[in-house]
Amino acid sequence: MKVPLLDLKPQYLSLKQEIDEAIQRVVDSQYFINGPDVAKLEEEVANYLNVKYAVGVSSGTDALLIALMALDIKPDDEVIVPTYSFFATAGVVARLNAKPIFTDIDPVTFNIDPKDFEKKISAKTKAVIPVHLFGQSADMNEIFNIAKNHNLFIIEDAAQAIGVQYKDGRFVGSIGDIGCFSFFPSKNLGGFGDGGIVTTNDEILYKKLKMLRMHGMEPKYYHKIIGGNFRLDTLQAAVLRVKLPHLDNWSAKRRQNAELYSKLFIEKGLAEEEGKILIDSKNKILLPKAVYKEHNNVAKNYHIYNQYVIRIEKRNELWNFLKEKEIGCEVYYPVPFHRQECFNFLNEKDENYTHSNFAADHSLALPVYPELTNEQINYVVNCIEEFFNK
Ligand SMILES: *Cc1c(COP(=O)(O)O)cnc(C)c1O
């Protein structure tokens, strides 16, 4: 049985008529830049996330970049980021000639370790970028209190986390100063190409973000500040508007798939419980743990599983084994920032990042996309069982 890591076709086919009509509407109008769909998407996303303002941008990476620019991050300023994330989180800091300062991650959630964050603050620190990795909120109360005690800005990297709620019910991207989202096709809300959006509750930041997106221009051809071309295409906005109302449903299906994986791994005796972080003979697979929130006496899982990531001892062997079985898997991420060649100049000590190093060496993401069938999930679990019984 073939099980791809991600198959975008069934989602498109389920909305084909509506999406094709939306694209044709834009093509007929020839209004490709700043067309009405962009402002409508911004309003709809802001409403969905319960945040005052949203500004469509060209990608998740540019969302992070424009956020740092709006907060006036300058050369030699320090910005704290977890060392275990997609490259953009640190790359944008370095591109402004500011200095990325790395922290280790929490071994259960894969997210920034608040204690290590606090330790890394210096007189030069201006901001922190917590990442809601794999679709689960970072520990925002802790991060917020530490950041605000030290007058730091918070930029949330919510690229993998649109629709994720923090344990108090607030949506990620509405908690810090600026939230950054990606519409890369493999995210839970994916466009037909690159795209992203930034969110804020601050009117001054909102106006600045809008100016920066159009070369810092206001009015036309008068440039108060230096920005760039960070616009979201009208075509992307039109496609995303069709998809947004289905997002919660898709995330719920990912959650069901994730819960089925964990249940089967536990039933087969390959793992003891979610969130256990010791590999031994009883707990061969480290399962991801959702942080649950009691809501009307019902435990509510806020994880949206952009990725379902397990950790195992012989990761590369299992990866090859599953490849032979035609099961798509991926390693997010094999090289944390402190080990990247481009950051050699920071002279980081590898031993300061034990949890990130462990994750980089042992993580494997299994297929979890919404349209995956229970039969496929059972097949993946059976193949992994076979691997351990070899
Ligand atoms: C995808 C991603 C980005 C970048 O988004 P793009 O739209 O690909 O530029 C940034 N941070 C994280 C954590 C991501 O997963």
Side-chain angles (χ1 to χ4, degrees):
M1 189 187 305
K2 239 192 180 140
V3 189
L5 180 62
L6 175 65
D7 183 2
L8 294 167
K9 280 194 202 111
Q11 187 185 86
Y12 168 56
L13 292 177
S14 74
L15 297 171
K16 185 174 173 2
Q17 197 183 344
E18 264 183 277
I19 289 176
D20 290 358
E21 277 169 18
I23 292 173
Q24 195 58 51
R25 186 163 36 76
V26 177
V27 172
D28 288 341
S29 78
Q30 292 289 298
Y31 202 162
F32 295 118
I33 306 292
N34 293 338
D37 282 293
V38 176
K40 284 192 185 130
L41 177 74
E42 289 170 346
E43 196 185 320
E44 287 158 8
V45 168
N47 282 338
Y48 172 76
L49 296 173
N50 197 17
V51 64
K52 277 194 194 146
Y53 309 105
V55 179
V57 292
S58 30
S59 70
T61 304
D62 285 343
L64 291 163
L65 184 62
I66 202 174
L68 291 169
M69 290 169 78
L71 296 170
D72 270 325
I73 300 302
K74 298 217 157 41
D76 296 327
D77 286 348
E78 294 181 356
V79 177
I80 297 177
V81 303
T83 189
Y84 187 69
S85 176
F86 176 63
F87 181 73
T89 314
V92 290
V93 176
R95 276 173 64 189
L96 294 174
N97 292 318
K99 190 174 176 189
I101 302 290
F102 306 136
T103 75
D104 204 1
I105 53 166
D106 176 282
V108 175
T109 64
F110 297 97
N111 283 323
I112 185 168
D113 172 3
K115 288 198 189 74
D116 202 26
F117 158 44
E118 187 159 32
K119 272 192 231 153
K120 298 290 172 68
I121 295 171
S122 81
K124 290 183 173 177
T125 312
K126 292 284 153 57
V128 59
I129 310 184
V131 182
H132 307 297
L133 201 69
F134 303 144
Q136 171 154 265
S137 178
D139 189 352
M140 290 311 289
N141 277 344
E142 283 287 307
I143 291 158
F144 191 90
N145 290 336
I146 296 165
K148 293 305 154 186
N149 275 339
H150 292 87
N151 272 318
L152 307 181
F153 293 115
I154 302 167
I155 299 168
E156 294 178 71
D157 183 342
Q160 300 181 5
I162 189 159
V164 170
Q165 288 163 277
Y166 184 49
K167 62 185 181 185
D168 62 8
R170 282 182 296 170
F171 283 94
V172 303
S174 72
I175 302 168
D177 296 283
I178 301 180
C180 301
F181 296 88
S182 165
F183 299 131
F184 187 82
S186 68
K187 312 289 172 157
N188 284 32
L189 180 62
F192 283 8
D194 281 309
I197 206 161
V198 282
T199 51
T200 185
N201 283 309
D202 183 311
E203 192 185 353
I204 294 169
L205 280 177
Y206 167 65
K207 287 184 175 156
K208 200 161 170 197
L209 289 163
K210 280 192 89 168
M211 267 169 79
L212 285 166
R213 172 173 70 172
M214 292 265 275
H215 293 290
M217 182 162 79
E218 193 179 285
K220 207 172 183 182
Y221 304 131
Y222 289 77
H223 300 263
K224 288 201 182 76
I225 50 177
I226 298 168
N229 174 359
F230 297 125
R231 290 183 298 256
L232 176 68
D233 284 341
T234 312
L235 275 168
Q236 296 303 336
V239 171
L240 291 161
R241 288 188 64 214
V242 176
K243 287 189 167 197
L244 178 61
H246 302 276
L247 173 61
D248 284 344
N249 185 25
W250 293 328
S251 295
K253 288 198 174 130
R254 286 172 179 271
R255 199 173 292 131
Q256 278 172 17
N257 293 342
E259 288 175 355
L260 180 56
Y261 270 124
S262 292
K263 180 173 155 270
L264 293 172
F265 285 132
I266 292 167
E267 275 174 13
K268 289 189 179 295
L270 294 170
E272 283 184 305
E273 58 181 321
E274 287 190 338
K276 204 168 173 216
I277 55 165
L278 188 73
I279 295 181
D280 59 23
S281 59
K282 285 189 188 144
N283 198 59
K284 298 188 180 83
I285 303 176
L286 304 192
L287 302 177
K289 182 174 171 63
V291 175
Y292 287 85
K293 158 79 177 160
E294 289 290 326
H295 191 75
N296 298 332
N297 293 324
V298 182
K300 192 166 182 295
N301 178 352
Y302 284 147
H303 202 316
I304 64 161
Y305 299 96
N306 181 244
Q307 303 296 345
Y308 179 87
V309 175
I310 60 169
R311 282 164 292 176
I312 53 270
E313 197 55 59
K314 294 188 173 155
R315 191 265 314 276
N316 291 344
E317 287 88 337
L318 176 60
W319 194 9
N320 286 328
F321 183 80
L322 294 178
K323 261 182 215 158
E324 277 166 29
K325 303 271 182 192
E326 298 192 299
I327 295 170
C329 299
E330 189 55 83
V331 172
Y332 302 110
Y333 295 92
V335 188
F337 301 151
H338 65 274
R339 287 178 172 176
Q340 293 286 358
E341 191 179 337
C342 68
F343 291 133
N344 278 350
F345 70 97
L346 293 169
N347 288 318
E348 287 292 338
K349 287 202 185 70
D350 200 58
E351 61 268 27
N352 289 343
Y353 302 100
T354 42
H355 298 308
S356 303
N357 291 340
F358 184 85
D361 297 340
H362 298 91
S363 291
L364 192 64
L366 306 180
V368 73
Y369 64 92
E371 295 81 6
L372 208 63
T373 64
N374 288 358
E375 200 188 353
Q376 286 173 308
I377 293 172
N378 272 285
Y379 175 68
V380 174
V381 172
N382 288 340
C383 289
I384 294 175
E385 187 183 33
E386 189 186 326
F387 172 80
F388 280 106
N389 290 336
K390 261 198 310 172

